[in-house]
Amino acid sequence: MFSNYLIGLREGLEASLVVCILIAYLVKTGRRDALKPIWIGIGIAVALAMGFGCALEFGSQELTFQAQEGLGGSLSIVAVGLVTWMVFWMRRTARFLKSELHGKLDAALAMGTGALVATAFLAVGREGLETALFVWASVHAASDGTPRPLVGVVLGLATAVLLGWLFYRGALRINLAKFFTWTGGMLVVVAAGVLAYGFHDLQEANLIPGINHLAFDISGAIPPDSWYGTLLKGVLNFQPDPTVVQITVWALYVVPVLALFLAPVGFASGKGNVKEPDAQGTQPSTASQA
């Protein structure tokens, strides 16, 4: 449940920050008349993300078992690729996200209502589709027959919305550089588990051999239905009887990706600050760099 909460929080907070920056900029520049098309674009993006998630969930139920496993494994790999790109992108560009969105918004204001809707839709839609895909893959990987994985995601998204509102009101200050670095590192570990489970799905679909070649089996020491087995499953997508392919894929992903992500580059090399949007026109809060 914690890993799913982390996904909802991390992915949702990015989208919340984008919304805050767009809305706060229009309020500060006296363009409240442009708020309606912005909210329309945001609403369309949210609806598209939810529709995409529903299509993944209910569409896959109509497939055969092997087709379900093949689709689940393939989409898990795609989701991990997108999330990996996202955490590196946010680590390097978060300092410039505000100015980049302001530039796009200025151009859209000059072009008219349709451009404003499209700007908001594209800014939030990418985050929404990535979130829907990775949430679906993670819930699929961590599914234990209970609604806990989905509850974790919903709680994470709700927390992200609350934090976004507090940012907008100027009531909360947070070091975004450190926040995205720490949560990004944890998300890499979660993604490694999703990736390994995705390859296991492909093995069950007979697309990759080795389903019976286990790396180890410690089910006796860590029963999957025990509280600690459930905890490890929920947090790290831990499996007590992984195949050799799963362990190999997990190690080949998590070691180099985590090392590159935690390398002292990106935020550490710059002196710029991340400034939070403030709709009241007061001095914006500043997040120091990691």
Side-chain angles (χ1 to χ4, degrees), residues 214-289:
L214 302 183
F216 53 81
D217 187 351
I218 54 175
S219 302
I222 307 179
D225 56 351
S226 64
W227 69 266
Y228 45 92
T230 302
L231 179 64
L232 289 173
K233 175 70 173 179
V235 175
L236 300 175
N237 286 313
F238 173 80
Q239 184 176 335
D241 55 346
T243 65
V244 173
V245 170
Q246 283 182 271
I247 289 296
T248 302
V249 167
W250 186 91
L252 289 177
Y253 172 84
V254 76
V255 174
V257 172
L258 200 56
L260 286 173
F261 182 77
L262 297 178
V265 295
F267 287 128
S269 62
K271 299 296 183 181
N273 291 328
V274 179
K275 297 182 179 180
E276 303 304 331
D278 180 7
Q280 283 71 41
T282 57
Q283 180 66 28
S285 59
T286 300
S288 60
Q289 303 308 304

Side-chain angles (χ1 to χ4, degrees), residues 144-213:
D144 55 4
T146 71
R148 283 180 295 186
L150 188 58
V151 170
V153 172
V154 172
L155 290 176
L157 290 173
T159 303
V161 171
L162 175 62
L163 290 176
W165 182 78
L166 291 175
F167 285 148
Y168 178 77
R169 302 300 300 176
L172 181 66
R173 299 185 180 187
I174 188 172
N175 188 320
L176 290 179
K178 289 185 177 180
F179 175 84
F180 282 119
T181 296
W182 282 103
T183 58
M186 289 188 286
L187 204 56
V188 167
V189 176
V190 172
V194 172
L195 182 64
Y197 196 88
F199 272 81
H200 183 265
D201 280 350
L202 294 180
Q203 288 182 299
E204 289 193 327
N206 293 324
L207 296 176
I208 295 178
I211 186 65
N212 295 317
H213 297 159

Side-chain angles (χ1 to χ4, degrees), residues 44-132:
I44 294 173
V46 172
L48 178 64
M50 294 179 65
F52 180 55
C54 290
L56 288 174
E57 176 62 24
F58 297 111
S60 63
Q61 294 178 3
E62 302 299 322
L63 302 175
T64 64
F65 173 76
Q66 285 192 333
Q68 285 183 5
E69 297 303 296
L71 177 64
S74 301
L75 290 180
S76 294
I77 294 172
V78 172
V80 169
L82 288 174
V83 167
T84 304
W85 173 83
M86 178 271 297
V87 295
F88 277 96
W89 176 83
M90 180 56 75
R91 183 174 184 265
R92 288 184 174 276
T93 63
R95 286 181 295 141
F96 313 107
L97 180 62
K98 185 176 179 180
S99 59
E100 180 181 339
L101 287 174
H102 284 179
K104 291 181 179 179
L105 199 53
D106 284 334
L109 285 168
M111 295 175 65
T113 301
L116 287 171
V117 173
T119 298
F121 171 76
L122 293 174
V124 178
R126 180 181 63 82
E127 301 288 348
L129 291 176
E130 287 180 0
T131 301

